[in-house]
Amino acid sequence: PGNKRSEMPLQCPACGSPTSVLSPHCVCTNHHCGGVLAKKLRDSMVRVGIENLGPAACSDLVAAGVTNLVKLFHMNLHDWLKLPGFAEKSAAQAYEHVQFILGRPIEDYKLLAALNIPGVGLSLAKKLCDKYSIEEFSRADWDSIEGIGPNRAQEIREGLASLEWADFVAYFKIVSTKGSLSLSLI
């Protein structure tokens, strides 16, 4: 409020690496920073419906080497019990919630957004999945979609080429949303 201005931290509070401004945010320049990885993991979890694990649990998961959803899906009850702050009841609840999410159908665009491809959030993922089905992703012409330049198209291709996307497809009962945006306009 008023004329108060906050100073941009010069170092990341999580890892001590230099920070930079990615308007309007101040971000850590270390792509392997535990804080950055915990934020990405949390964002991915929320996008697929895992909302009962907060930032502290995500930090503990990253510290244990669980840096993406695929690794989270591989966790068994014993793995949850190894985490700080998880006793039998909380570990069982976390494990059962993840298994519940895996058993539910999920829209394709939520999975695409959960990959945390730079610039691909829920809105753009909806637009991409409206034009192409999952089976068409490998041969899709991402550059032809309005608002996607060559750099973003390359990031999408690289994100989808990752082993993580193939694992996502294998884990979930995916609901295709291809053509749903055009249907909703009628």
Side-chain angles (χ1 to χ4, degrees):
N3 292 329
K4 291 184 180 181
R5 298 185 80 181
S6 60
E7 294 288 322
M8 180 181 97
L10 299 176
Q11 292 181 312
C12 172
C15 72
S17 295
T19 59
S20 68
V21 175
L22 187 59
S23 193
H25 305 285
C26 174
V27 297
C28 179
T29 57
N30 176 5
H31 298 292
H32 302 288
C33 170
V36 170
L37 295 174
K39 170 87 170 85
K40 286 183 177 185
L41 179 62
R42 174 86 173 117
D43 290 346
S44 292
M45 291 187 328
V46 168
R47 287 176 175 162
V48 297
I50 302 170
E51 297 182 13
N52 65 339
L53 297 169
C58 290
S59 293
D60 292 339
L61 285 162
V62 167
V66 179
T67 55
N68 60 49
L69 287 180
V70 173
K71 291 178 181 180
L72 182 76
F73 300 151
H74 280 101
M75 290 180 67
N76 60 37
L77 182 56
H78 182 71
D79 296 328
W80 284 99
L81 286 166
K82 291 180 191 175
L83 295 174
F86 282 86
E88 284 189 36
K89 185 176 180 180
S90 57
Q93 287 174 337
Y95 174 75
E96 288 169 10
H97 184 66
V98 169
Q99 296 307 305
F100 171 75
I101 294 298
L102 285 172
R104 293 177 51 213
I106 187 166
E107 292 88 352
D108 49 6
Y109 72 90
K110 290 181 181 178
L111 290 180
L112 181 57
L115 281 179
N116 288 318
I117 297 170
V120 180
L122 287 171
S123 296
L124 183 55
K126 277 184 183 180
K127 186 176 182 179
L128 298 175
C129 289
D130 183 58
K131 183 162 176 115
Y132 296 108
S133 69
I134 288 174
E135 296 79 22
E136 298 169 318
F137 277 7
S138 62
R139 57 187 185 282
D141 182 12
W142 302 113
D143 301 274
S144 70
I145 298 175
E146 184 182 339
I148 295 183
N151 291 342
R152 172 110 5 106
Q154 182 59 31
E155 288 173 333
I156 293 169
R157 282 189 285 277
E158 289 171 2
L160 294 173
S162 74
L163 178 61
E164 196 170 346
W165 177 249
D167 286 346
F168 277 162
V169 173
Y171 274 106
F172 287 98
K173 298 172 187 170
I174 302 170
V175 176
S176 176
T177 58
K178 183 178 178 183
S180 62
L181 289 179
S182 55
L183 289 176
S184 66
L185 297 175
I186 297 175

